[in-house]
Amino acid sequence: MFCLREREVTEGELLFFEDFSEGWEERWEISGGEWHAKDGILDGVYRGNAGGLIYTKKQFPGDVLIDFYGRMVSPCNNDLNFSFRAKGWDYEQEDAAEGYIVGINGWWKNRVGIEHYPACDVFAMSGLFVAESDRDYHIQAGIVGSYCFVVVDGELAVLLCDPDPIHQDECSRIGLGTYCSHVQFRDLKIFRAESREVSLSYIPQF
């Protein structure tokens, strides 16, 4: 449970759970990179100076909350990436199609951020949080109305208000990925995000 300005977000209905057991590939579109799973851990490597994402075949329209554990594997220390409200991979352009792309230790400067891809004229990022390699982080992220958010270990890391949110009818898949790095994911859950208005005010201390 956490607040996005005047709205409090909580987990609603569980829509999807992925434990990366045998047969996980049937539920995902692998668009690039090297991906395999063992003992419930999805291992992803992209060796070129570019990125690759895998996408759920299932669509998740509406407000969603993604919940998973992720890490960067040393010696790599960059680009633990994922996507939501995503259309998928554009094979003609060899790039991600429209969607919100999130990076942790991304953008070549160890920043955490969200960008409305591919135009990227709407984005938010910060250099205040820097992740360590070989450490699991509990990541919760998603979209509620026009607000996109990333929470790491219970703390809000970045918040984006998009004045023209991505239309959910055509773009509502979830993606996991990386950019020239080695990453791991486990225990992925997708919830319907529920929210309610909260009253925000200060109590005078003087």
Side-chain angles (χ1 to χ4, degrees):
M1 180 185 305
F2 44 88
C3 282
L4 308 177
R5 295 189 64 178
E6 70 281 354
R7 300 206 68 83
E8 183 179 71
V9 179
T10 58
E11 298 171 356
E13 176 189 2
L14 178 64
L15 303 175
F16 183 80
F17 172 63
E18 179 61 80
D19 61 359
F20 299 108
S21 57
E22 184 176 354
W24 69 272
E25 302 98 328
E26 299 173 4
R27 298 181 290 276
W28 295 80
E29 176 189 353
I30 301 174
S31 59
E34 304 165 32
W35 298 90
H36 64 273
K38 182 179 180 181
D39 298 328
I41 298 173
L42 176 68
D43 193 272
V45 175
Y46 201 97
R47 299 182 187 278
N49 189 29
L53 287 154
I54 66 172
Y55 296 93
T56 57
K57 293 181 179 179
K58 188 176 179 180
Q59 304 269 354
F60 301 95
D63 294 345
V64 293
L65 170 62
I66 312 164
D67 187 302
F68 65 90
Y69 290 86
R71 64 163 55 192
M72 299 165 295
V73 180
S74 60
C76 296
N77 184 245
N78 64 282
D79 285 86
L80 178 64
N81 297 344
F82 56 97
S83 183
F84 54 87
R85 190 85 47 103
K87 190 171 186 178
W89 192 256
D90 185 334
Y91 289 93
E92 291 185 2
Q93 298 295 324
E94 279 301 313
D95 197 0
E98 188 173 18
Y100 293 109
I101 294 182
V102 178
I104 294 176
N105 282 28
W107 292 279
W108 303 278
K109 293 292 185 179
N110 280 346
R111 293 173 178 163
V112 56
I114 308 169
E115 57 187 7
H116 184 151
Y117 206 79
C120 302
D121 52 356
V122 175
F123 64 89
M125 61 181 62
S126 169
L128 296 178
F129 170 77
V130 179
E132 301 173 5
S133 300
D134 304 317
R135 174 180 167 183
D136 277 356
Y137 290 93
H138 182 202
I139 299 168
Q140 296 169 296
I143 183 167
V144 172
S146 60
Y147 289 109
C148 301
F149 57 90
V150 180
V151 175
V152 181
D153 289 343
E155 297 293 335
L156 182 65
V158 66
L159 176 64
L160 168 68
C161 183
D162 189 344
D164 185 20
I166 295 173
H167 200 281
Q168 61 184 351
D169 289 346
E170 296 182 356
C171 304
S172 54
R173 301 166 73 186
I174 305 300
L176 302 173
T178 190
Y179 191 107
C180 194
S181 190
H182 182 187
V183 296
Q184 294 178 338
F185 301 90
R186 65 177 175 88
D187 296 329
L188 171 71
K189 302 179 182 71
I190 302 173
F191 296 94
R192 174 72 57 226
E194 296 185 351
S195 64
R196 65 181 182 88
E197 289 189 13
V198 293
S199 177
L200 302 178
S201 63
Y202 287 113
I203 300 175
Q205 301 296 314
F206 47 86

